[in-house]
């Protein structure tokens, strides 16, 4: 073992001691509701495929058709010869969905945040290190983007508009460019940022508001357009409610053009492959017409939240299709996840550093493919899990 490897091993050992070591579980999925592992089937409550689109025949059909017609790879980055004529109509659809003049499709949502923020926050272009006000619970990919740009984030308390206001006021006399970064729906909490109030502050303080709409697009907002309407720049992904893969940014033509020229994730990465683009294209056609599915998912989540709080579980401030059950210690979350697994229910535990220390949880996510009986089964299993513990505590 090399010296560096023994350090890596020590890091793994420390993680294991703290109940934080992770491993990859091999799973088989044949539909949006059931997942298979080690010869057993489970109801999957840990997928971001909120509309069940990844198995939709329209997406599969167009992916196959575009693979057969255009090949399975783009062959080059978009600035070389990978900018297939498939991109422009898709980008027009994304811009229309997000009500912005333009959009740019790139690789994953992670890469979009990491690469786009790096480019947008570039101090050499902006003339000074920008002031970046960021929600404390923003997704890791946003931090990567800020780190890559070398900016220090001014982090405000989660969804706390007064704290954001105070921070903005503190820097009132500072004429550096300002940005506010937030998610719309927070991925691990399922709560919604107070976007109207944040947008008001952004206008008052002449800050550019960048919203990651990953967990709202497709599933929330009018016609599934998400919640980012007041943002100057929207970042998102096709890998959640849209069922496929890929990321995008929606903004003005100037921002798009700037990113084509300055964003490493666009310039130095092969364009998305045609079958992936086919699935995106078909999802964008379907999403505006999926109100019934959106209502079904909202009802399932509401039923679950009501049932979970009735048995004394802490579902935080969730109001969306993502419902956490906050348990505290990583071991508690792991153990609860393991016991649900024995009952045929797949609910992955989420531990630090993905969530703050002391807030390890189960993250329950609902999809249009779930049935009411699935929710009741999960609640039954949780109440048998949870009830004895409450009795013991008394
Ligand atoms: C808020 C948020 N932004 C970005 C991403 C990354 O998107 P993708 O999975 O497409 O890389 C995620 C996914 O975990 C997310 O939750």
């Amino acid at each position: 073992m090399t010296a560096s490897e023994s350090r890596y091993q020590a890091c793994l050992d420390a993680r294991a001691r703290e109940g934080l070591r992770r491993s990859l579980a091999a799973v088989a999925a044949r539909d949006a509701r059931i997942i298979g592992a080690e010869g057993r089937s489970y109801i999957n409550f840990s997928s971001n495929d909120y509309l069940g689109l990844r198995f939709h025949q329209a997406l599969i059909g167009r992916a196959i058709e575009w693979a057969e017609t255009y090949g399975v790879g783009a062959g080059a980055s978009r600035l070389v010869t990978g900018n297939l004529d498939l991109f422009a109509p898709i980008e027009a659809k994304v811009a229309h969905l997000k009500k912005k003049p333009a959009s740019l499709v790139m690789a994953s949502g992670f890469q979009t945040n990491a690469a786009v923020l790096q480019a947008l926050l570039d101090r050499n272009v902006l003339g000074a290190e920008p002031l970046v006000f960021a929600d404390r619970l923003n997704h890791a990919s946003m931090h990567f983007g800020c780190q890559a740009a070398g900016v220090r984030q001014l982090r405000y308390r989660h969804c706390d508009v007064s704290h954001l206001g105070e921070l903005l006021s503190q820097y009132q006399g500072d004429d550096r460019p300002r940005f506010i970064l937030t998610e719309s729906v927070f991925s691990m909490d399922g709560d919604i940022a107070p976007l109207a109030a944040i947008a008001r502050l952004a206008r008052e303080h002449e800050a550019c508001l960048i919203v990651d709409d990953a967990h709202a697009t497709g599933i929330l907002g009018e016609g599934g357009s998400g919640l980012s309407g007041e943002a100057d720049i929207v970042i998102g992904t096709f890998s959640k409610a849209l069922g496929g893969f890929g990321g995008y940014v929606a903004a003005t033509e100037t921002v798009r053009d700037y990113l084509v020229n300055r964003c490493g994730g666009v310039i130095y990465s092969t364009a998305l492959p045609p079958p992936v683009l086919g699935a995106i294209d078909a999802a964008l056609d379907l999403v505006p017409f999926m109100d019934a599915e959106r209502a079904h998912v909202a009802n399932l989540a509401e039923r679950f939240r009501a049932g979970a709080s009735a048995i004394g579980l802490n579902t935080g401030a969730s109001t969306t299709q993502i419902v956490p059950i906050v348990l505290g210690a990583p071991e508690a979350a792991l153990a609860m996840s393991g016991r649900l697994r024995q009952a045929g229910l797949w609910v992955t535990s989420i531990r630090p550093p993905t969530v703050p220390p002391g807030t390890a949880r189960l993250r329950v996510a609902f999809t249009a493919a779930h049935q009411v009986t699935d929710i009741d089964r999960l609640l039954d299993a949780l109440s048998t899990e949870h009830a004895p513990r409450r009795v013991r505590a008394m």
Side-chain angles (χ1 to χ4, degrees):
M1 197 181 268
T2 61
S4 49
E5 247 187 291
S6 56
R7 295 277 179 162
Y8 303 147
Q9 188 58 52
C11 167
L12 289 170
D13 295 344
R15 293 219 142 196
R17 278 194 303 280
E18 291 159 21
L20 297 178
R21 183 153 174 184
R22 305 170 190 213
S23 60
L24 297 169
V27 297
R30 301 283 181 275
D31 65 38
R33 179 173 161 264
I34 301 293
I35 200 168
E38 294 170 353
R40 265 196 85 178
S41 294
Y42 304 88
I43 301 175
N44 184 1
F45 288 105
S46 290
S47 156
N48 300 318
D49 177 19
Y50 306 124
L51 292 171
L53 281 179
R54 73 188 160 130
F55 287 96
H56 196 290
Q57 281 311 313
L59 276 73
I60 295 169
R62 206 166 302 172
I64 293 172
E65 187 194 321
W66 286 23
E68 285 175 350
T69 312
Y70 306 107
V72 295
S77 76
R78 292 188 63 178
L79 280 168
V80 182
T81 56
N83 191 37
L84 307 174
D85 50 9
L86 306 170
F87 275 98
I90 290 178
E91 289 180 339
K93 288 181 192 178
V94 174
H96 182 256
L97 182 73
K98 307 311 290 183
K99 300 181 183 67
K100 293 284 173 239
S103 88
L104 183 67
V105 169
M106 40 196 298
S108 71
F110 188 102
Q111 185 174 322
T112 305
N113 262 330
V116 164
L117 292 179
Q118 179 189 26
L120 294 178
L121 304 177
D122 187 331
R123 74 185 67 202
N124 296 319
V125 175
L126 296 172
E129 178 180 338
L131 294 165
V132 178
F133 302 87
D135 188 290
R136 268 201 193 140
L137 295 190
N138 276 347
H139 191 257
S141 52
M142 298 180 100
H143 300 311
F144 270 75
C146 292
Q147 272 166 11
V151 297
R152 189 173 74 87
Q153 295 175 66
L154 299 156
R155 296 171 85 174
Y156 59 91
R157 285 190 294 274
H158 177 52
C159 287
D160 186 336
V161 185
S162 339
H163 191 208
L164 171 60
E166 278 164 33
L167 286 178
L168 283 161
S169 302
Q170 259 174 41
Y171 286 87
Q172 195 129 35
D174 194 322
D175 65 358
R176 287 181 282 166
R178 285 151 223 271
F179 293 84
I180 300 175
L181 308 185
T182 182
E183 294 178 36
S184 52
V185 170
F186 282 82
S187 60
M188 296 299 140
D189 292 84
D191 55 348
I192 297 178
L195 290 167
I198 293 176
R200 231 177 356 259
L201 280 176
R203 281 192 297 274
E204 262 167 54
H205 292 267
E206 293 179 12
C208 170
L209 174 57
I210 303 183
V211 173
D212 179 338
D213 213 19
H215 293 276
T217 305
I219 186 75
L220 295 172
E222 198 193 337
S225 58
L227 300 176
S228 54
E230 306 215 43
D232 298 297
I233 299 176
V234 185
I235 289 175
T237 171
F238 301 110
S239 68
K240 317 243 183 251
L242 278 86
F245 182 77
Y248 62 85
V249 51
T252 60
E253 289 286 358
T254 304
V255 167
R256 181 184 189 277
D257 202 15
Y258 170 74
L259 291 171
V260 168
N261 282 274
R262 295 282 311 184
C263 175
V266 176
I267 301 167
Y268 304 114
S269 188
T270 300
L272 281 181
V276 170
L277 293 172
I280 292 173
D281 191 58
L284 288 167
D285 289 346
L286 286 172
V287 154
F289 307 101
M290 297 188 79
D291 282 348
E293 287 81 355
R294 283 185 277 274
H296 175 62
V297 175
N299 288 337
L300 294 176
E302 197 44 55
R303 183 183 185 91
F304 178 73
R305 265 189 301 272
S309 36
I311 55 176
L313 293 165
N314 173 9
T315 57
S318 159
T319 53
T320 67
Q321 76 284 357
I322 301 166
V323 187
I325 298 175
V326 183
L327 294 163
E331 295 80 3
L334 273 177
M336 178 86 94
S337 169
R339 289 191 296 264
L340 291 177
R341 194 91 43 104
Q342 283 164 19
L345 305 164
W346 192 288
V347 192
T348 308
S349 63
I350 308 286
R351 294 165 287 159
T354 306
V355 291
T359 70
R361 66 196 64 191
L362 301 182
R363 175 187 183 270
V364 186
F366 297 104
T367 161
H370 282 137
Q371 300 156 6
V372 169
T373 47
D374 297 334
I375 281 48
D376 293 345
R377 201 170 137 192
L378 177 58
L379 284 169
D380 278 351
L382 285 166
S383 63
T384 15
E385 268 303 306
H386 195 56
R389 209 174 301 274
R390 281 192 298 157
V391 172
R392 270 202 303 273
M394 275 177 357

